[in-house]
Amino acid sequence: MNPSIETIAEHASFGGVQGFYRHESSTIGLPMRFGLYMPPNSALTNAASADLRIAAVVFLAGLTCNEETFAIKAGAQAKAAELGLALIMPDTSPRGANVVGEADAWDFGLAASFYLDATQEPWRAHYQMASYVASELISVVAQRWPIDVNRVGIMGHSMGGHGALTLALKHPAQFKSVSAIAPICAPTQCPWGKKALSGYLGDDAASQNSWAQHDASALMQACARGAPFPSGILIDQGLADKFLLDQLNPDHFDAACEAVGQPLRLRRQVGYDHGYYFVASVIDDHLAHHHARLAQLV
Amino acid sequence: MNPSIETIAEHASFGGVQGFYRHESSTIGLPMRFGLYMPPNSALTNAASADLRIAAVVFLAGLTCNEETFAIKAGAQAKAAELGLALIMPDTSPRGANVVGEADAWDFGLAASFYLDATQEPWRAHYQMASYVASELISVVAQRWPIDVNRVGIMGHSMGGHGALTLALKHPAQFKSVSAIAPICAPTQCPWGKKALSGYLGDDAASQNSWAQHDASALMQACARGAPFPSGILIDQGLADKFLLDQLNPDHFDAACEAVGQPLRLRRQVGYDHGYYFVASVIDDHLAHHHARLAQLV
């Protein structure tokens, strides 16, 4: 299988290439767009030689964003170029599912997939973002670019931080490193999360696919066999973030990590808000965090 | 005079503050918005003490942009924070002038002021961006923030590169350093420039305010007393820029600099296009260029 990938745009960036692409996703059942940054060293590598494939970090964006947001606003390409890391930036939901009402709210439906596999009608046909990110996207990218699928980390912002933490905890063999910026740490406990989980998964008590399986704090708390990421997890949280008190709950995740012995560097940053000026201010540290872990796996 | 400045938004960024503000401009005769990045060291300084005021660089954006574009897309705050430089980002035209037809074209009128003082009706009442940038903006900023008005550089992108070069050449005592990214170097010779100059200034031959006074290459060529910026001018130009051949004419400016002995570092960058992925890729070098010159003036 070598699905065709359509190039939407490519821009030289810090000696590498910031591209945007579209492909037919078998998981989603619709065309999906993604951004990809390939650092300059990747021009020297060869997809046919596993030794020369490069590590990659998947970035999951937050509510209202798309596959361009992080590429435009985070200023991540400079550090990725320096470290030789690829950056994979999926969209935040299916587009074109034409679910009635999917564009009615900014925190549910379009650009608000919460990176889970919906079980409820009418969402389940296309809103399968967890499987898309964990099982399809990386292999699609690796068929055209020299990505080492065995050295892939995942990170995200806000809703995407929730996605990164939950997907990493559910697929630790797939994602070797994880970090998050202002993540929704306990969606079963906050308004955004309750709305999304009930809409996509149905009532918690009645669901075969319980809400706790999509809550990073609950997933961490359930790690009976000890720390899933012994090399540590990095989270940055701004203290001037207007969503901190009602929606984000980093303390829940901190307590869960403490309970299972998971090393967590939770940096509470005075003065920073929820936006991309904060993301940009800490992104280099996050890429260094992933690089440090992924470089050990060569 | 201490005109009131309204804060639209402020975001912590690399230890400093990326803010957006609005003030009543006496030059424009309308409210004008601007962006301002103040680096972290500025919190330690005091507007009452001239010794502690910091150097600043004015950035002029290109066609279709506004006061937010550079702040969001260029990734300049990291280097500005490191160097202790303030960044001043005006809007690209008056807003609210309500000139008939001002929004009809993307290359003339709104967001397309060309940073000159219009002499023609109906533009002359408000389209006075040259005087606004050169004579009002910096002093307005310096009344509230600890900017050293004697250490201000100017740079810009595309139309803003034209603005930076022409304003620096006309006001070398005001702007001590200058650089540009993909600038319109000879507006009297290209379609964008001819349209703007004829619209804002009228027919060249009939004008008291000749087009050549708004053309960086012609202004440089006319520097009879030698190099106006002996410490050098920096220009970056991407060679995959689709506007290079028809609109930008860096060779004209290069030849003019050569003729008057003006040191010019014109870097022709293979593979880069006209967009902000290019701006971001070279911005650190531009800020270092300004810092090197402005630091000599302490």
Side-chain angles (χ1 to χ4, degrees), chain B residues 164-184:
Chain B
L165 294 172
T166 54
L167 291 176
L169 288 167
K170 296 176 82 160
H171 306 282
Q174 171 77 285
F175 300 111
K176 305 298 200 317
S177 58
V178 59
S179 74
I181 301 170
I184 301 170

Side-chain angles (χ1 to χ4, degrees), chain B residues 30-242:
Chain B
L30 288 167
M32 288 294 291
R33 290 178 303 198
F34 64 90
L36 175 70
Y37 179 69
M38 288 298 285
N41 59 345
S42 60
L44 304 175
T45 66
N46 181 337
S49 169
D51 291 349
L52 296 174
R53 287 175 169 260
I54 63 172
V57 177
V58 175
F59 180 87
L60 303 181
L63 293 166
T64 77
C65 294
N66 63 29
E67 78 285 358
E68 282 195 301
T69 311
F70 178 77
I72 291 172
K73 295 184 170 183
Q77 293 91 353
K79 193 69 173 181
E82 176 192 325
L83 298 176
L85 276 177
L87 303 174
I88 302 172
M89 299 156 254
D91 202 349
T92 52
S93 78
R95 310 273 175 176
N98 293 323
V99 174
V100 173
E102 70 178 345
D104 290 356
W106 65 275
D107 57 358
F108 186 70
L110 275 181
S113 72
F114 275 76
Y115 301 104
L116 48 72
D117 291 344
T119 59
Q120 298 299 293
E121 299 296 350
W123 307 99
R124 58 178 297 189
H126 300 295
Y127 280 70
Q128 299 290 315
M129 288 292 289
S131 292
Y132 173 68
V133 171
S135 303
E136 181 178 6
L137 175 63
I138 295 157
S139 64
V140 166
V141 172
Q143 285 172 25
R144 176 156 154 191
W145 290 276
I147 300 292
D148 182 351
V149 297
N150 294 312
R151 289 191 294 139
V152 175
I154 191 165
M155 67 171 297
H157 170 235
S158 193
M159 173 185 75
H162 146 75
L165 294 172
T166 54
L167 291 176
L169 288 167
K170 296 176 82 160
H171 306 282
Q174 171 77 285
F175 300 111
K176 305 298 200 317
S177 58
V178 59
S179 74
I181 301 170
I184 301 170
C185 289
T188 63
Q189 310 297 319
C190 76
W192 281 341
K194 291 177 183 176
K195 178 175 180 177
L197 296 174
S198 64
Y200 293 129
L201 302 176
D203 182 69
D204 187 26
S207 177
Q208 296 294 311
N209 187 10
S210 79
W211 288 14
Q213 293 175 51
H214 306 278
D215 180 301
S217 300
L219 285 167
M220 183 61 75
Q221 188 77 45
C223 286
R225 287 178 294 182
F229 291 91
S231 64
I233 295 174
L234 172 62
I235 292 181
D236 274 295
Q237 175 59 57
L239 295 184
D241 184 329
K242 68 180 176 182

Side-chain angles (χ1 to χ4, degrees), chain A residues 232-251:
Chain A
I233 295 172
L234 172 62
I235 292 181
D236 274 296
Q237 175 60 57
L239 296 185
D241 184 329
K242 68 180 176 182
F243 300 117
L244 174 54
L245 288 182
D246 288 341
Q247 303 282 11
L248 303 179
N249 292 314
D251 292 345

Side-chain angles (χ1 to χ4, degrees), chain A residues 14-249:
Chain A
F14 291 95
V17 177
Q18 174 62 57
F20 298 99
Y21 308 94
R22 184 188 293 111
H23 73 111
E24 290 291 334
S25 166
S26 56
T27 308
I28 301 294
L30 288 167
M32 288 293 291
R33 292 178 302 197
F34 63 90
L36 174 69
Y37 179 71
M38 288 298 286
N41 58 346
S42 60
L44 305 174
T45 66
N46 181 337
S49 169
D51 290 351
L52 295 174
R53 287 175 169 260
I54 64 172
V57 176
V58 175
F59 180 88
L60 302 181
L63 293 166
T64 76
C65 295
N66 63 29
E67 79 286 359
E68 282 195 303
T69 311
F70 178 77
I72 292 172
K73 296 184 172 185
Q77 293 92 351
K79 192 70 173 182
E82 176 192 325
L83 298 175
L85 276 177
L87 304 174
I88 302 172
M89 301 155 253
D91 202 349
T92 52
S93 78
R95 310 274 175 176
N98 294 321
V99 173
V100 174
E102 69 178 346
D104 290 356
W106 65 275
D107 57 358
F108 186 69
L110 276 180
S113 72
F114 275 76
Y115 302 103
L116 48 73
D117 291 343
T119 59
Q120 299 298 294
E121 300 296 351
W123 307 98
R124 57 178 296 188
H126 300 295
Y127 279 70
Q128 300 289 316
M129 289 292 288
S131 291
Y132 173 68
V133 172
S135 304
E136 182 179 5
L137 175 63
I138 295 157
S139 64
V140 165
V141 172
Q143 286 170 25
R144 178 157 153 191
W145 291 274
I147 299 294
D148 182 351
V149 298
N150 295 312
R151 289 191 294 138
V152 175
I154 191 165
M155 67 171 298
H157 170 235
S158 193
M159 173 184 76
H162 145 76
L165 294 171
T166 53
L167 291 176
L169 288 167
K170 296 176 83 160
H171 307 281
Q174 172 78 285
F175 300 111
K176 303 301 199 317
S177 58
V178 58
S179 74
I181 301 169
I184 301 171
C185 289
T188 63
Q189 309 297 318
C190 75
W192 280 341
K194 291 177 184 177
K195 178 176 179 177
L197 297 174
S198 64
Y200 293 129
L201 302 176
D203 182 72
D204 186 26
S207 175
Q208 297 294 310
N209 188 10
S210 78
W211 288 15
Q213 293 176 51
H214 306 277
D215 179 300
S217 299
L219 284 168
M220 182 60 77
Q221 188 77 46
C223 287
R225 286 178 294 182
F229 291 91
S231 64
I233 295 172
L234 172 62
I235 292 181
D236 274 296
Q237 175 60 57
L239 296 185
D241 184 329
K242 68 180 176 182
F243 300 117
L244 174 54
L245 288 182
D246 288 341
Q247 303 282 11
L248 303 179
N249 292 314

